[in-house]
Amino acid sequence: MITKNIQYAVDELKRDGLVSIPTETVYGLAANAYNETTVKKIFELKNRPHYNPLIVHIKSADYLQHIAKEIPDIALKLATAFWPGPLTLVLKKQEHVSDFITAGKDTVAVRVPNHPLTLDLLNELDFPLAAPSANPFGSISPTNATHVHAYFGETLPVILDGGECEKGIESTIIGFENNQPILYRHGSISIEEIEKMVGKINTITHNDQTPNAPGMLSRHYAPKTETYLTNNVAALATYFEGKKIGLLVFKNPMHHHNIHHQEILSKTGDCAEAAKNLYAAMHRLDEQNLDVIIAERLPDEGLGKTINDKLERATKKE
Ligand code: TXA
Ligand code: MG
């Protein structure tokens, strides 16, 4: 059921069911973070490997101490600046936080989502919500309730409809080593914005073979259609002469007789608008029965960097 009424979500979560929740980034698939059996259901429904830990969504920064400990001052500074908002902090976990949430690590990922419906929901509950993005493992994240419904149908009893996600791209994830912040995942807050507050920060180089690295699997967010990323869309469109081509371009439409469907991320060249449109555009392209999708690389700065990172993962060949 798709509904705007949080009472259905409250009831379902209290019955230890799963609920899809809107956030400002993407839709989440939420369970009572204090109930292991329910948290396990998230992994089953998403077909998500157990080594990939979940984010705990809390109602306010004041609640953080119930989930995390030994919180570095810089983490508090970031939380104060960006919460509620699309920043996830990876911190030392409190003992009681389930190993299913953290994939056995001694750290836990936490954020306060910035969506009025979900904040109301969290305030009605006496437990936080463990939630990954509400998509089957490896597929494109959902940015509206219809996307979630298309993935899970009625096997998911409640999808809380909060409209189109305002940011459209996952939260930025920051962890800490020796109290120094490290970027674990590019996201809706650009690295430049974070550096303005805490100075230069390093980026973790991820590796699928290292379970200790955060779950930044190299292939992720992928459309089913074969997708290529390029600086030169025209050249690739010519190369694929005769194929049914879809385009995902930043701001300038391309005129080429081969193009069957075209998505322009932001006509004004605004990266925030492009981020908001990215996954919905990928969903639409994927529905067109195309032979190939050609995606254009964005300028590599600010949110352009985040979008390029998502596109790299959507296109990397195994
Ligand atoms: O915007 C978002 O963050 C959305 C909304 C629903 O909040 N959630 C989301 O969740 O993107 P998910 O599960 O798709 O991505 C969570 C990421 C994974 O890459 C996971 O590996 C990482 O967070 N993560 C979780 N716990 C971690 C930990 N203890 N250490 C390192 N990485 C962690
Ligand atoms: Mg995800």
Side-chain angles (χ1 to χ4, degrees), residues 19-46:
V19 166
S20 180
I21 53 166
T23 83
E24 77 282 33
T25 60
V26 300
Y27 275 68
L29 183 61
N32 176 352
Y34 293 160
N35 183 319
E36 257 186 13
T37 316
T38 319
V39 170
K40 278 192 219 168
K41 288 187 198 165
I42 294 178
F43 288 89
E44 284 158 25
L45 189 62
K46 267 186 73 102

Side-chain angles (χ1 to χ4, degrees), residues 26 46 48 52 132-135 137-139 141 170 185 220-221:
V26 300
K46 267 186 73 102
R48 179 179 174 112
N52 200 0
S133 50
N135 50 294
F137 182 66
S139 51
S141 297
E170 288 85 347
R185 178 175 76 179
H220 209 167
Y221 319 106

